[in-house]
Amino acid sequence: MFDLEWILQNLPRLLEALLVNVQITVFGYLIALTLGLLIAIVRRVPYFGAVLHAAMEFIRTTPLVIQAVFVFLLTPAFISPLTVGIVVIGVHYAAYTAEVYRSGIEGVAKGQWEAARALSLPVSRTWGAVVLPQAIRKVIPALGNYLIATFKDTPLLIAISVAEVLTVARQIGSASFRIAEVYTIVGFLFLIVTIPSAILLRRLERRYAAV
C-alpha cells in the first residue's frame, strides 16, 4: 500500500505546508496570549466586563470552522486567507486563555492586593509587579495545553483554502488517488510535532507545580 519512493517525492511539499500550520499556530497563539490577558483584566471592569464575558461565551460555544468561514466571507479580497485564519484562531483561543488568566488572577491571595493598596502602589505597578507575575506562573501549564490545541485545529482552515498541510494533502491525494497514504503521512507529521511538545509541557507542569 505504501510506496516509499512516492512518499519521499511528496514529503518536501507536505513539510513546506506543515510550516504554514506552525506559522498559524505561532502567530495565532501570540494573539491569543496577548488578547486573552487583556480580556481577563478588562473583565474586572463592572458592566463592560459582563458584555465582554457574553462575547467570549459566544466565541467559545460556536465552532471554529464556522467562525473562520463567516469572517472570511466578510473580509475584503485583498486580505489573504492565511491572515484571516491567524486572526480567527487567535481570537477564538483568546476566549479560552482569558478564562485561564482569570483563574490565575483570582488565585492571587487577597492579602497581596491589600498589601499593594497599603503601599499606595499605582494600578499599573500593582498589576505588573504583584498580581500578574504570580497569576501567570500558576497557569503556564494550562496555557501550554492550548498551544497544542491551537496547532491541532489549524487543519480546520482548509475550509477557507489556506495552503496548510491538510489542504495540500487533499490536493496530492486527489491527483494521485492515494488518499489513505497521504493522510497517514499527515497524521505522522502532526504526531512528530505534538508528542515532543506534550512531553515538554508535562515537564513545565511538574516544574511549576513544585514552585
Side-chain angles (χ1 to χ4, degrees):
M1 176 181 176
F2 290 92
D3 185 340
L4 182 59
E5 182 179 352
W6 180 87
I7 292 174
L8 293 177
Q9 179 182 352
N10 289 279
L11 189 58
R13 187 179 172 190
L14 291 172
L15 288 173
E16 183 179 355
L18 184 66
L19 290 178
V20 176
N21 293 74
V22 173
Q23 179 183 356
I24 295 168
T25 302
V26 170
F27 288 106
Y29 189 66
L30 288 175
I31 292 173
L33 288 179
T34 305
L35 183 59
L37 180 58
L38 180 62
I39 291 169
I41 295 173
V42 174
R43 272 194 57 186
R44 299 178 67 87
V45 178
Y47 304 112
F48 184 74
V51 175
L52 192 57
H53 173 67
M56 294 301 100
E57 283 296 314
F58 175 80
I59 291 174
R60 281 195 296 269
T61 53
T62 53
L64 173 59
V65 65
I66 293 178
Q67 295 172 14
V69 172
F70 183 77
V71 173
F72 178 71
L73 294 176
L74 295 179
T75 302
F78 63 85
I79 299 178
S80 69
L82 177 61
T83 301
V84 173
I86 290 173
V87 172
V88 169
I89 280 189
V91 174
H92 181 84
Y93 274 97
Y96 290 94
T97 58
E99 284 298 302
V100 175
Y101 284 126
R102 182 188 61 80
S103 66
I105 291 170
E106 292 182 352
V108 175
K110 185 179 179 180
Q112 297 292 312
W113 296 88
E114 294 174 347
R117 285 195 295 268
L119 293 172
S120 300
L121 293 180
V123 174
S124 59
R125 182 72 173 165
T126 299
W127 280 98
V130 179
V131 177
L132 291 183
Q134 298 180 65
I136 293 176
R137 184 179 61 192
K138 294 177 180 179
V139 300
I140 285 177
L143 291 175
N145 290 333
Y146 281 120
L147 174 61
I148 295 179
T150 301
F151 178 68
K152 291 194 297 183
D153 274 350
T154 54
L156 294 175
L157 299 181
I158 190 175
I160 59 174
S161 302
V162 175
E164 48 77 45
V165 69
L166 192 60
T167 304
V168 172
R170 184 176 65 176
Q171 295 170 354
I172 294 173
S174 299
S176 62
F177 300 103
R178 295 186 172 187
I179 304 295
E181 285 176 90
V182 71
Y183 275 60
T184 301
I185 296 170
V186 170
F188 276 113
L189 291 178
F190 268 80
L191 288 175
I192 289 171
V193 175
T194 56
I195 290 178
S197 300
I199 293 173
L200 177 60
L201 288 173
R202 295 291 81 77
R203 290 181 178 177
L204 282 174
E205 186 174 354
R206 288 195 296 269
R207 176 181 176 180
Y208 283 96
V211 175

